[in-house]
Amino acid sequence: MKIGVNVLNFGPGTDPGALRSWAQTVEGLGFDLLMVSDHVAITPDVAERYPAPFYEPFTTLSWLAGLTTRVRLGTTVLIAPYRHPLLTARMAANLDELSGGRLVLGVGVGWARQEFAALGIPFERRGRLTDDHLRDVRAAWADTASYGDRRIPVWVGGNSDAGLRRAVRLGDAWHPLRCTMPWLREAAVRLAESAAEQRLPVPALAPRIALRITPAPVTGPQRLAGEGTIDQIMDDLDQLRRIGAETVVLDPYQGDPRETRRPQTAWQALATVAAHLDPTTRTGTEQS
């Protein structure tokens, strides 16, 4: 099972130097994947959670590709309706080629109504637009004369049943975000059932989970996967491996933008996890 990291490409403490340090830390600790998020217009609903500066993901990942050599690069998640599908296809194909085939394209439908309005995109149609977008992107990549032989993994985000079904129809992996372990165990079953109903292959499971290390165990039904003592977190990762997760992305962001001024806290948590990983059970790292 591969382990990735959600890197903070927004907030008052984020600048090129911080992004460079994030990338060097993630790759240096041996993680397999570095992912960033996506917003275009930092409207009030977006700024409340993810304030400016917000570094655009394709631009940021292209720059980080030149600062790294091994770690894969991805979006968690690109908001599909915000860009023309041919633009997404071209930028993704170029980034994948320039990085030596390291791109993972995670996509989602989006949630920020004000941002949709600012971009002139109908919020109520975002699900259908995302479906059309993914079909058009894949059709563009199939034109090998223009795009080369691109086999970029597409992860479909969204915790809803619609997101799960979309992943089966149009994705290589399902990428649910910040869930409890019981929810993820049940969701893995639903994913297989949906694939059987649609008579399609079961996509990979690639969840993004929390990363919050606590001195004492966290208990109760609302405990997120990846939250608690290091032993709890390592047990969560083991359980995810057992239910078939191919990649797990760790998200150290706790929701306060001021955290971006103190990335060392997140880096220490990542170092603690890295020190507890058994290299003999992982793929994709320098130890394998």
Side-chain angles (χ1 to χ4, degrees):
M1 186 174 75
K2 296 179 172 62
I3 309 293
V5 177
N6 180 43
V7 166
L8 309 187
N9 58 320
F10 58 85
T14 300
D15 59 22
L19 288 166
R20 180 189 297 108
S21 295
W22 267 104
Q24 292 170 342
T25 298
V26 170
E27 184 166 70
L29 288 172
F31 289 103
D32 303 284
L33 174 64
L34 176 162
M35 305 193 89
V36 298
S37 53
D38 178 35
H39 283 286
V40 174
I42 311 306
T43 48
D45 50 353
V46 174
E48 185 177 355
R49 301 188 193 183
Y50 312 111
F54 202 113
Y55 287 80
E56 194 277 330
F58 280 119
T59 310
T60 302
L61 292 175
S62 296
W63 182 60
L64 294 179
L67 298 175
T68 55
T69 59
R70 175 194 56 79
V71 70
R72 302 201 76 186
L73 308 159
T75 53
T76 176
V77 287
L78 192 82
I79 303 171
Y82 287 177
R83 297 167 181 82
H84 192 285
L86 293 182
L87 178 62
T88 297
R90 174 65 65 192
M91 290 194 296
N94 286 173
L95 174 53
D96 188 61
E97 185 173 13
L98 291 168
S99 67
R102 290 191 278 153
L103 180 63
V104 174
L105 185 67
V107 300
V109 301
W111 57 269
R113 284 181 176 270
Q114 294 173 4
E115 188 174 21
F116 272 82
L119 294 169
I121 301 166
F123 182 82
E124 294 76 14
R125 294 186 57 213
R126 66 195 188 282
R128 179 166 302 216
L129 288 169
T130 297
D131 289 352
D132 292 343
H133 187 105
L134 289 171
R135 292 188 185 98
D136 290 344
V137 166
R138 288 195 179 278
W141 287 341
D143 178 7
T144 57
S146 297
Y147 290 87
D149 187 14
R150 300 261 66 83
R151 291 185 173 88
I152 301 168
V154 175
W155 293 7
V156 176
N159 294 10
S160 66
D161 288 339
L164 182 152
R165 292 192 299 270
R166 181 175 295 112
V168 173
R169 291 195 313 274
L170 299 167
D172 300 298
W174 183 36
H175 186 48
L177 310 179
R178 298 182 71 94
C179 314
T180 67
M181 278 306 307
W183 189 93
L184 283 164
R185 285 192 292 269
E186 188 268 339
V189 174
R190 287 193 290 116
L191 185 65
E193 291 175 345
S194 179
E197 290 170 2
Q198 299 183 63
R199 298 183 180 181
L200 292 169
V202 182
L205 177 63
R208 190 177 95 195
I209 68 172
L211 176 59
R212 186 172 77 90
I213 302 177
T214 61
V218 177
T219 59
Q222 301 305 311
R223 183 185 79 86
L224 295 175
E227 186 177 45
T229 64
I230 187 61
D231 288 340
Q232 285 183 296
I233 293 167
M234 300 313 296
D235 183 64
D236 289 342
L237 291 175
D238 186 58
Q239 289 187 55
L240 288 167
R241 180 181 60 82
R242 291 175 184 274
I243 66 174
E246 292 189 5
T247 304
V248 176
V249 178
L250 302 175
D251 184 359
Y253 183 52
Q254 308 305 322
D256 184 349
R258 291 175 295 182
E259 295 172 40
T260 61
R261 298 186 186 276
R262 304 181 300 275
Q264 294 81 6
T265 302
W267 298 343
Q268 183 57 56
L270 292 169
T272 301
V273 171
H276 283 76
L277 289 171
D278 180 357
T280 64
T281 64
R282 298 176 60 205
T283 61
T285 65
E286 291 173 341
Q287 294 97 334
S288 62

